[in-house]
Amino acid sequence: MSDAPVPAGAKRWPNVPACYGWLSLDRRGGWRLQGEPLTHAGLVAFLNAHYEADEHGAWLVNNGPQKVFARLDYTPWVLRLEADGRISTHTGIDAGPVDALYLDDEGSALLHTARGIGVVDYRDLPRLLAECHLADDSPADVDTLMALMPGPEAERPRVRWRELPLQPIRRNEVAARFGFVADPAPAAEP
């Protein structure tokens, strides 16, 4: 049992079971409730403000005493390229520095930021890819970018974005590699 102090308000909270399968985050950074888009600005702001990961890498929204787990269509963050060059999350916060860029086998770009891994919003993908260059500083065309995936590493083209090498990754490896749970489920009862 923990010796940590319990906030006064929490002492009144009922024992509420966690909620699974209702809330999801789509690849555009939009919240969905049972598959339907949420558009109420206040509700979206609440979800964004209370979005976090638990100790197992499952992402959730704290709703008072209840944990509402989110199914992720891809990554925990959907990232957007701002006009001033910054990267922001779907929740509107700054993603911080980027230390890696990946292109998956489906053509999605992923950035590893100070906040963690996130897929680039597809609406910003053309702008990000237009910033990709080869070693001679010439623009990387689509064929060059797609050549990143197959073949041995020694034969892959060297592509850079903001001085970071563009690295290939397989979509089905992303969750395990970056330690998040894409579709949380309740723990089995003993």
Side-chain angles (χ1 to χ4, degrees):
M1 189 139 194
S2 173
D3 291 332
V6 177
K11 291 178 186 176
R12 295 185 306 249
W13 285 353
N15 185 12
V16 178
C19 181
Y20 296 88
W22 285 70
L23 184 65
S24 63
L25 179 68
D26 68 26
R27 288 182 61 133
R28 295 166 86 178
W31 292 108
R32 293 181 172 269
L33 188 60
Q34 291 190 309
E36 295 297 319
L38 293 174
T39 57
H40 187 279
L43 179 55
V44 170
F46 176 86
L47 296 173
N48 288 344
H50 295 90
Y51 181 60
E52 63 183 36
D54 71 5
E55 66 275 9
H56 305 291
W59 286 79
L60 61 101
V61 172
N62 280 309
N63 180 25
Q66 185 175 46
K67 293 181 178 189
V68 180
F69 287 89
R71 184 184 52 74
L72 309 173
D73 280 1
Y74 197 171
T75 59
W77 299 107
V78 177
L79 302 172
R80 299 187 173 121
L81 279 65
E82 300 297 336
D84 63 4
R86 288 178 309 106
I87 309 295
S88 65
T89 71
H90 65 277
T91 63
I93 57 176
D94 190 276
V98 178
D99 60 20
L101 168 64
Y102 302 91
L103 186 66
D104 76 9
D105 47 341
E106 296 178 352
S108 295
L110 296 100
L111 299 174
H112 188 263
T113 73
R115 299 231 175 249
I117 193 72
V119 64
V120 174
D121 186 316
Y122 78 91
R123 295 168 285 196
D124 291 335
L125 189 58
R127 194 169 82 200
L128 180 136
L129 295 178
E131 294 178 17
C132 290
H133 291 83
L134 301 173
D136 66 1
D137 211 30
S138 63
D141 61 19
V142 173
D143 292 335
T144 302
L145 294 170
M146 294 317 294
L148 281 170
M149 290 310 296
E153 184 175 344
E155 296 174 16
R156 291 184 192 138
R158 302 289 182 236
V159 178
R160 300 188 77 69
W161 174 79
R162 297 185 184 180
E163 301 309 314
L164 294 172
L166 182 56
Q167 305 170 59
I169 194 167
R170 300 217 177 275
R171 186 188 196 289
N172 64 359
E173 299 171 353
V174 172
R177 182 167 178 183
F178 294 101
F180 66 88
V181 179
D183 193 5
E189 296 294 323

